[in-house]
Amino acid sequence: MQQLAEEAGEFLEVEGQMEWGSAAGRFTLLYNMSRLVVGRRVALFHGLLSFVQPRPYPMNRSLCLVLLLVASSAVGWSATTVNHLLSRTRESLDGKWNYIVDPYDSGYYDYRYQPYDAAAQPTGGYFQDRRNVPPTDLVEYNFDRSPTLIVPRDWNSQDSRLFYYEGAIWYRRLFDHAAAPHTRTFLHFSAANYQVDVYLNGHKLGRHTGGFTPFDFEVTDKLAAHDNSLVVRVDNRRLAEGVPTLNTDWWNYGGLTREVCLVVVPETFVADAVVQLDRKNPAQIHATVQLAGPQLTQPVTVSVPELHLSATATVDAAGRAELNLPVDASLQRWSPEHPRTYEVVVSCPTDRIAERIGFRTIEVVGDNILLNGKPVFLRGVCLHEENPVRGGRAYSPEDARQLLGWAKELNCNFVRLAHYPHNEYMARVADEIGLMLWEEIPVYWTIHWTDPSTLANARQQLEEVITRDRNRASVIVWSVANETPVSEDRTQFLRALITRARELDGSRLVSAAMEVHRDPAQPDARIVEDPLGAYTDLLSFNEYLGWYDGNIDRIGQVIWQLKYDKPVVISEFGADALQGLHGSDTARFTEEYQARLYRETIAMLRKLPHFRGATPWILCDFRSPKRNLPQVQDGWNRKGLVGENGVKKSAFYVLKGFYDEMAAQP
Ligand code: GCU
């Protein structure tokens, strides 16, 4: 067990049996765990966890955590084999897909509610994509004659009958593919909400859970030259044990919300390459390269042509190499003011990828956040992945430019991408135009803290977003949660995620959006004492003074009690205002009330100890099924500084004024 506790993050060959408790209350854990690595895919845990006559038993908490980690890591992580997608040859499968709405899962379960695809001889199931059915056969679906949806897009904003739909929809796409010799082909999804089952030519490729991160399946030997049938069942039903769980304040857009494509790579290829300025020794760029495929022992070269830098190393038996490239003053560090990126080439005899990367360091020293060694104030705003004007989930480079462009107009240098990983274009555009980013996984409100599958799901989403974006200079914070109720189980759960984030990427800050507590004995006191604050780099919390918490005229009276001397970043504050609704600044939902709340909050925050940044809630109005005040909200959370029509509200200019002043400070 000691060995297990030590290697909670990483499992190797482990075998054993553990027993404790009285004869009556024995728990027996037989486990055998092995780790197989194919490219980046970590495989199986096969074990037997059996509970013999479980009784209420005082379990030691950290033992509980280890058990949770054991069980959760069994589920496997990192669902992408091919990273650096945007540097790869891709055959897009975007466009029109036929679809079938299946609220009763008739295409998935038989009348005994058994999944068709689990049967040795399936007797039905839409995954078979039966076509040219003879009139004698009974087949009660036909993709060819079914309507179409556009991919990438959510289904809710494409058809008003699907606006509120939560359930399964089957997508089908036919395509040809000319396989090139000595290559491998992966079917890649940049994201799909929430749980998908993927079938190719009637065979199940697998399932992915989590609506906001990429995943792929190798299809090299499963493709035909013509008429491949790709069938994807997408189910966006909210699950209590899910991540997120049942209750959120955003629209549960369903579907193939981001790109689908075939990625073709050489038999042995660069599966992953992390190239960053070494935080511990910024006089060098450090690169870690992972090859995948049969020909692992090859030399790999990492070069930065514009800086005449190049280094070569031979990968080890596991296909991994570490390289250092000494840099001098000619390297221009990335910053929002100077978003300088360089083309970085990672090559080996069988493969080559090129990517634009910015080099910068980010760290916390005392109560300061240092960007490239200098204190920085985070002039931020929060953002949902939604294009309010077009409607629906944002998914394209154009959406990213629109949304981040508004943040730039506010004179922001920082954006909190809430509450789940946004599409990859956000970070790419932020790298390019100069915005630092906070990326978050949807561990939001009341998650099932003690359910191993929930932890595994959250971990997987964290690993997938870190794997995708850890070369992005713009990304400076990984956030593991938002507004989660303090409890020992919750804190253990989040600590496991923080540990995992630091394992995968020790070069960035890790945090969470925590909450403010009150003390009935001190009405004006606001207390931040969350035990999680001991493990995060920032003390970031949401406060809603003047909206959910007390009257607007009390904002200035607040007395802060902060348990930690860490940089304070206010991860949310704000108020609803309907764009164009005007009135007294004491009338909620008017632009005047929102603007006043911003003025009063900014005045109060100027006096807050360790105040190093803020991301007010929120850049644009966004759809939420929780907001139903007629003629004001109508299904929109109106805390945006920009209305759903793209028109800026008065508070936009209040915040811009503050940021202009902060930006002008030396
Ligand atoms: C919360 C939460 C947001 C929500 C906001 C609001 O703090 O984190 O997701 O939308 O408050 O109530 O408007």
Side-chain angles (χ1 to χ4, degrees):
M1 180 53 71
Q2 182 53 34
Q3 179 188 356
L4 194 60
E6 270 154 23
E7 293 166 356
E10 196 74 28
F11 294 102
L12 301 172
E13 296 287 339
V14 176
E15 185 134 356
Q17 168 160 356
M18 185 181 73
E19 299 192 4
W20 76 85
S22 68
R26 270 182 203 286
F27 293 92
T28 310
L29 165 70
L30 293 168
Y31 61 88
N32 172 352
M33 191 175 320
S34 64
R35 176 174 116 168
L36 285 170
V37 178
V38 182
R40 299 184 52 74
R41 201 173 292 269
V42 170
L44 306 169
F45 155 74
H46 38 84
L48 172 63
L49 189 79
S50 66
F51 295 84
V52 182
Q53 284 188 318
R55 295 191 333 186
Y57 206 81
M59 276 245 239
N60 155 325
R61 287 220 169 276
S62 47
L63 181 57
C64 210
L65 171 68
V66 168
L67 274 181
L68 206 56
L69 285 175
V70 167
S72 65
S73 62
V75 178
W77 57 270
S78 180
T80 48
T81 309
V82 180
N83 293 297
H84 315 284
L85 184 81
L86 303 184
S87 322
R88 290 285 178 198
T89 314
R90 308 188 308 278
E91 286 170 34
S92 173
L93 295 174
D94 293 345
K96 286 191 173 160
W97 291 52
N98 298 97
Y99 77 97
I100 300 174
V101 182
D102 189 13
Y104 277 50
D105 295 315
S106 318
Y108 189 75
Y109 294 110
D110 65 19
Y111 82 119
R112 289 282 178 257
Y113 223 67
Q114 298 305 309
Y116 283 116
D117 66 11
Q121 307 290 338
T123 57
Y126 295 175
F127 72 93
Q128 298 183 317
D129 187 14
R130 295 278 312 270
R131 283 174 277 157
N132 314 319
V133 176
T136 50
D137 287 15
L138 172 59
V139 175
E140 295 177 293
Y141 69 92
N142 181 321
F143 279 110
D144 292 338
R145 294 212 306 261
S146 299
T148 60
L149 282 171
I150 304 291
V151 170
R153 285 287 297 280
D154 58 274
W155 61 58
N156 313 69
S157 61
Q158 291 191 60
D159 183 326
S160 58
R161 294 167 302 172
L162 298 174
F163 186 60
Y164 288 102
Y165 182 64
E166 293 188 298
I169 287 189
W170 293 82
Y171 286 76
R172 195 282 316 258
R173 177 86 158 71
L174 301 176
F175 65 94
D176 300 340
H177 173 71
H182 308 302
T183 63
R184 299 166 67 179
T185 305
F186 292 80
L187 173 62
H188 178 97
F189 296 81
S190 293
N193 193 46
Y194 171 73
Q195 188 159 67
V196 298
D197 295 283
V198 182
Y199 308 85
L200 182 64
N201 297 330
H203 300 285
K204 186 154 191 175
L205 297 179
R207 165 174 281 191
H208 182 265
T209 302
F212 305 100
T213 44
F215 56 98
D216 62 22
F217 303 96
E218 177 151 19
V219 290
T220 308
D221 53 5
K222 298 186 173 69
L223 287 165
H226 299 288
D227 213 27
N228 290 287
S229 157
L230 174 57
V231 172
V232 184
R233 174 179 178 271
V234 183
D235 183 349
N236 76 332
R237 266 170 284 220
R238 287 166 290 124
L239 304 170
E241 71 283 10
V243 180
T245 181
L246 294 170
N247 189 14
T248 74
D249 189 26
W250 67 79
W251 207 267
N252 182 26
Y253 292 110
L256 296 176
T257 49
R258 296 182 195 158
E259 285 145 304
V260 184
C261 61
L262 294 173
V263 189
V264 180
V265 295
E267 278 164 342
T268 301
F269 62 98
V270 178
D272 196 14
V274 182
V275 186
Q276 296 276 282
L277 200 57
D278 190 333
R279 181 157 80 167
K280 297 194 196 69
N281 171 11
Q284 66 182 21
I285 289 171
H286 180 73
T288 308
V289 179
Q290 175 73 55
L291 297 187
Q295 256 185 290
L296 284 182
T297 44
Q298 297 188 43
V300 290
T301 299
V302 174
S303 58
V304 188
E306 293 154 84
L307 293 170
H308 311 293
L309 294 177
S310 178
T312 298
T314 299
V315 297
D316 64 19
R320 194 181 164 86
E322 310 258 344
L323 305 93
N324 292 317
L325 294 82
V327 295
D328 59 25
S330 64
L331 174 112
Q332 236 189 309
R333 297 276 190 101
W334 183 97
S335 70
E337 295 73 28
H338 305 288
R340 180 70 160 96
T341 59
Y342 292 87
E343 185 184 56
V344 174
V345 179
V346 180
S347 59
C348 62
T350 58
D351 194 17
R352 177 189 188 281
I353 58 167
E355 195 165 295
R356 294 209 67 83
I357 297 179
F359 297 103
R360 55 101 189 93
T361 60
I362 187 80
E363 59 197 315
V364 161
V365 175
D367 68 353
N368 276 317
I369 302 167
L370 304 187
L371 173 67
N372 296 324
K374 295 199 195 71
V376 66
F377 181 87
L378 302 180
R379 308 188 311 270
V381 73
C382 287
L383 181 59
H384 262 299
E385 189 192 35
E386 191 178 70
N387 182 326
V389 181
R390 183 201 55 230
R393 276 261 167 260
Y395 61 88
S396 66
E398 297 70 34
D399 288 337
R401 286 185 201 291
Q402 164 88 71
L403 296 165
L404 298 179
W406 277 329
K408 273 286 198 184
E409 281 180 55
L410 259 178
N411 205 349
C412 286
N413 61 4
F414 182 57
V415 171
R416 174 186 175 202
L417 302 180
H419 293 291
Y420 38 77
H422 289 210
N423 64 76
E424 186 169 357
Y425 295 113
M426 288 289 195
R428 297 277 176 158
V429 171
D431 268 13
E432 195 193 309
I433 69 174
L435 279 168
M436 295 177 278
L437 294 179
W438 159 307
E439 296 203 336
E440 185 164 294
I441 55 170
V443 174
Y444 180 94
W445 290 348
T446 47
I447 293 280
H448 281 202
W449 308 113
T450 57
D451 182 331
S453 73
T454 304
L455 178 58
N457 182 343
R459 247 167 75 111
Q460 176 161 337
Q461 296 189 40
L462 182 67
E463 287 155 357
E464 289 168 351
V465 67
I466 293 179
T467 305
R468 187 194 73 186
D469 287 350
R470 59 185 161 185
N471 276 339
R472 305 279 72 76
S474 53
V475 180
I476 63 165
V477 183
W478 303 118
S479 166
V480 296
N482 178 72
E483 289 190 352
T484 49
V486 174
S487 75
E488 182 58 14
D489 292 333
R490 164 264 191 187
T491 303
Q492 295 285 4
F493 185 108
L494 298 183
R495 280 188 57 197
L497 295 174
I498 291 174
T499 305
R500 191 67 187 134
R502 295 195 196 287
E503 271 167 12
L504 286 170
D505 174 28
S507 75
R508 288 179 175 82
L509 312 181
V510 180
S511 196
M514 295 174 261
E515 294 187 297
V516 176
H517 298 138
R518 301 183 59 166
D519 170 0
Q522 314 168 69
D524 284 329
R526 293 297 179 277
I527 304 154
V528 183
E529 60 195 353
D530 188 328
L532 190 71
Y535 307 100
T536 57
D537 295 304
L538 304 172
L539 187 61
S540 40
F541 53 89
N542 301 352
E543 62 84 6
Y544 276 94
L545 294 161
W547 190 254
Y548 299 123
D549 177 2
N551 268 336
I552 192 164
D553 50 24
R554 303 286 313 158
I555 294 176
Q557 320 309 317
V558 159
I559 303 148
W560 288 101
Q561 295 173 9
L562 309 179
K563 183 169 176 189
Y564 309 95
D565 294 338
K566 293 187 176 185
V568 170
V569 174
I570 304 296
S571 35
E572 289 181 34
F573 74 82
D576 281 55
L578 176 61
Q579 192 280 318
L581 180 63
H582 293 285
S584 129
D585 68 8
T586 57
R588 287 174 184 263
F589 297 105
T590 61
E591 289 201 32
E592 285 70 19
Y593 189 106
Q594 188 190 45
R596 178 181 168 200
L597 183 134
Y598 270 71
R599 278 193 305 276
E600 310 248 1
T601 301
I602 290 166
M604 176 270 290
L605 291 177
R606 287 177 190 279
K607 294 175 279 175
L608 180 65
H610 318 304
F611 179 45
R612 298 291 177 268
T615 52
W617 191 259
I618 183 165
L619 180 61
C620 327
D621 288 358
F622 62 95
R623 283 206 174 277
S624 166
K626 296 171 73 68
R627 309 296 168 172
N628 299 314
L629 184 61
Q631 289 97 47
V632 176
Q633 294 177 320
D634 296 322
W636 291 87
N637 182 311
R638 297 288 185 195
K639 292 191 180 67
L641 296 168
V642 178
E644 73 183 88
N645 48 15
V647 179
K648 299 177 178 75
K649 305 176 192 178
S650 324
F652 183 101
Y653 302 100
V654 174
L655 186 62
K656 179 172 170 28
F658 174 53
Y659 285 169
D660 290 348
E661 179 205 321
M662 294 304 283
Q665 286 184 356

